Amino acid sequence: MSDAVVIGSGPNGLVAANLLADAGWSVTVLEEQPEPGGAVRSDRGVDEEFVNDLFSSFYPLAAASPVVAGLDLGAHGLRWAHAPRVLAHPRRDGPAAVLHRDREGTAAALEADARGDGERWLAFCRVWDQLGDGIVDALFAPFPPVGSGAVLAARLRSAGGLRLARSLVLPVRRLGEEEFSGESGRLLLAGNALHADLPPEAAGSGGYGWLMSMLGQSHGFPVPVGGAGALTDALVRRLRQRGGEVRCGAAVTEVVVRGGRAVGVRTADGTPVAARRAVLADVAAPALYGGLVAAEHLPARLLADLRRFQWDHATVKVDWALDGPIPWDDPAVAPAGTVHLADGVDDLTRFASQTARGLVPDRPFLILGQMSTADATRSPAGTESAWAYTHVPHTVKGDAGHDGLTGRWDAAEDERMADRVEAQVERYAPGFRQRIRARRVLSPPTLQAADANLVGGAINGGTAAMHQQLFFRPTPGTGRPETPVRGLYLASASAHPGGGVHGAPGANAARAALRGSGGVGAALVAAQRLLSRPGRGKGHAFDEA
């Protein structure tokens, strides 16, 4: 019997397992897929000579995360690489907006686009210098962030107080209009805001766009050398060195609850796996509550609130093996690891409106990764391992384009959508399609089949909109990892602070489990006695597993 069972081996589950192992707990991680990693995996499935990341690729939040830093994954084989430029947003009517790691370089490019915009960017950076550490500490701490929040509040007053707070809750369209005269500065903010499911007119999207821009400015958008899977490998290696166990091909179908307490889990083949102290679930909230945990163990109010749970948008991703670099019209785009493709802020609004109305966008906004540009180990010299993803509605009501896409996402629709994505790249890089050696399409059903947490292709564990953040995440309450079942903790991106590879939900759950373990006492003893009674069918095996 392990002290803790962790359901799911995504980054949050592995971070939680590592922290528990550091505290001396025995830990078993159970993973449904044949390999660990969740949405942090890579393979050679497009072309044997190319490494492609299946899901996530660039990790500014991991670079900034004190949780990840505290694990010292470099000692376990993880190395980071950076593209020469962080990101670029090409424009058809002017020079590309480019984010450099050197703030002076970013400012110079913005100044060339519009007089005064360079100094306005540097003013943004000075605010980050005052607030950045406090924001990161508060963001990744358990909610409410009492200590770090007090420090941040004091810094906020000195950095501009309510006027600055107002700016951070603005829609990103309005923030860009207030702060920048030219299009480039506005595009850097708006494109970064759309890394989440936040349209340019959403309250708070300005603050999110600023946060992602400043993280890119200060930390870059780094990638693991050798593929995203190298980050998972380091987490697994570290855990095993501390005695932890990772079992793949072990789908959990039930959290076993006795006397109001989680005492273990059961896998798809009926195998019981007992937990002496805690069960931590790196599982989407709707799959945990009323799914793995039977409704009889949960408050009716929670189940009612979950009916209002909102997923972030569905995703379609295309991976490529390219015979050469992407032939961008604007050479300033070539050195960027991440590229945003949309004609301007108005085009981003058009895209978001189509998606909100249930239409497959005709000109999809793309986030594109040039992975060999960021990490030369990903493909042979002179070639490029690349990908792009876009969002589509969960429920498709129609096609804003001319391909008749219905949202079935069968093989034929996957290929037509991939053609549409490639046509968007061609608008900025004529001749792109001639360089495609092979491609792979990952539509919403494919993504979910590869990682059950990516429900309908949603990649952030639920919307990042304000009504489902902080103490509203995953439902109105405390925003903490504790659940109504004692000894069970929510450790997925459905918990505060949400999506992204930073490990905070896993770390928060692990710390909560460590705090709560002192209260096991008589309840655990009683549960063990109950499970060990003869004649209780498979239940008694929890005392022996």
Side-chain angles (χ1 to χ4, degrees), residues 251-270:
V252 172
T253 56
E254 179 188 3
V255 174
V256 180
V257 180
R258 298 285 187 266
R261 181 175 188 85
V263 296
V265 304
R266 199 181 308 280
T267 61
D269 63 1

Side-chain angles (χ1 to χ4, degrees), residues 363-382:
R363 291 200 308 268
F365 165 61
L366 302 183
I367 299 176
L368 183 148
Q370 300 188 113
M371 303 312 299
S372 302
T373 297
D375 170 18
T377 71
R378 302 294 184 97
S379 67

Side-chain angles (χ1 to χ4, degrees), residues 167 219 403 478 504 511:
S167 294
H219 295 280
D403 298 309
T478 65
R511 291 164 184 156

Side-chain angles (χ1 to χ4, degrees), residues 1-4 26 28 263 273-277 524 528 531 541-545:
M1 177 188 294
S2 297
D3 290 319
S26 57
T28 298
V263 296
V273 185
R276 185 178 295 108
R277 296 183 174 185
L524 178 58
Q528 289 175 325
L531 292 170
F542 281 92
D543 195 50
E544 304 168 356

Side-chain angles (χ1 to χ4, degrees), residues 117-283:
D117 279 5
E119 176 53 36
R120 294 184 184 98
W121 183 264
L122 293 176
F124 269 7
C125 294
R126 288 191 290 269
V127 172
W128 178 258
D129 292 340
Q130 290 181 267
L131 299 181
D133 289 344
I135 289 174
V136 168
D137 288 344
L139 179 66
F140 295 147
F143 193 84
V146 179
S148 56
V151 172
L152 179 59
R155 292 183 183 178
L156 183 64
R157 284 194 294 271
S158 65
L162 289 176
R163 290 176 179 82
L164 177 59
R166 171 191 174 274
S167 294
L168 297 181
V169 299
L170 285 173
V172 74
R173 173 185 287 277
R174 181 61 188 168
L175 180 63
E177 290 170 349
E178 289 189 4
E179 298 295 336
F180 295 106
S181 300
E183 185 75 3
S184 289
R186 299 174 183 181
L187 278 175
L188 289 181
L189 294 177
N192 275 312
L194 264 76
H195 279 229
D197 62 323
L198 300 175
E201 288 70 38
S205 59
Y208 188 83
W210 174 75
L211 170 66
M212 292 299 294
S213 296
M214 292 298 102
L215 287 174
Q217 184 75 94
S218 57
H219 295 280
F221 282 11
V223 305
V225 173
L231 174 56
T232 294
D233 291 344
L235 285 165
V236 170
R237 192 177 298 117
R238 186 185 190 279
L239 176 62
R240 286 176 171 158
Q241 287 179 1
R242 284 156 174 76
E245 180 185 10
V246 179
R247 299 185 198 170
C248 293
V252 172
T253 56
E254 179 188 3
V255 174
V256 180
V257 180
R258 298 285 187 266
R261 181 175 188 85
V263 296
V265 304
R266 199 181 308 280
T267 61
D269 63 1
T271 301
V273 185
R276 185 178 295 108
R277 296 183 174 185
V279 175
L280 289 80
D282 184 4
V283 173

Side-chain angles (χ1 to χ4, degrees), residues 406-499:
T406 66
R408 287 193 308 271
W409 304 124
D410 55 18
E413 288 208 350
D414 286 359
E415 295 303 318
R416 291 202 296 273
M417 187 66 196
D419 290 343
R420 186 174 299 184
V421 167
E422 291 175 359
Q424 178 74 330
V425 181
E426 280 273 343
R427 297 177 70 230
Y428 301 89
F432 163 73
R433 300 192 76 174
Q434 298 174 17
R435 302 196 176 185
I436 298 173
R437 178 187 299 191
R439 78 179 183 190
R440 171 175 61 190
V441 188
L442 302 173
S443 59
T446 311
L447 291 169
Q448 182 173 335
D451 182 346
N453 278 350
L454 306 182
V455 175
I459 59 177
N460 275 324
T463 181
M466 293 178 69
H467 63 270
Q468 202 165 286
Q469 290 286 41
L470 303 176
F471 46 79
F472 300 123
R473 192 171 189 91
T475 62
T478 65
R480 297 184 61 82
E482 291 87 352
T483 75
V485 177
R486 286 178 293 129
L488 175 65
Y489 302 90
L490 180 61
S492 72
S494 289
H496 170 77

Side-chain angles (χ1 to χ4, degrees), residues 53-122:
D53 297 332
L54 277 81
F55 313 103
S56 60
S57 284
F58 291 95
Y59 300 116
L61 291 169
S65 171
V67 174
V68 175
L71 297 175
D72 189 21
L73 295 179
H76 302 276
L78 179 65
R79 293 184 295 133
W80 294 105
H82 291 266
R85 295 177 182 171
V86 180
L87 69 85
H89 195 136
R91 297 165 52 194
R92 295 169 63 81
D93 59 352
V98 179
L99 182 65
H100 302 255
R101 291 189 70 191
D102 170 17
R103 63 179 61 179
E104 299 292 342
T106 305
L110 295 181
E111 186 68 22
D113 183 52
R115 186 175 181 180
D117 279 5
E119 176 53 36
R120 294 184 184 98
W121 183 264
L122 293 176

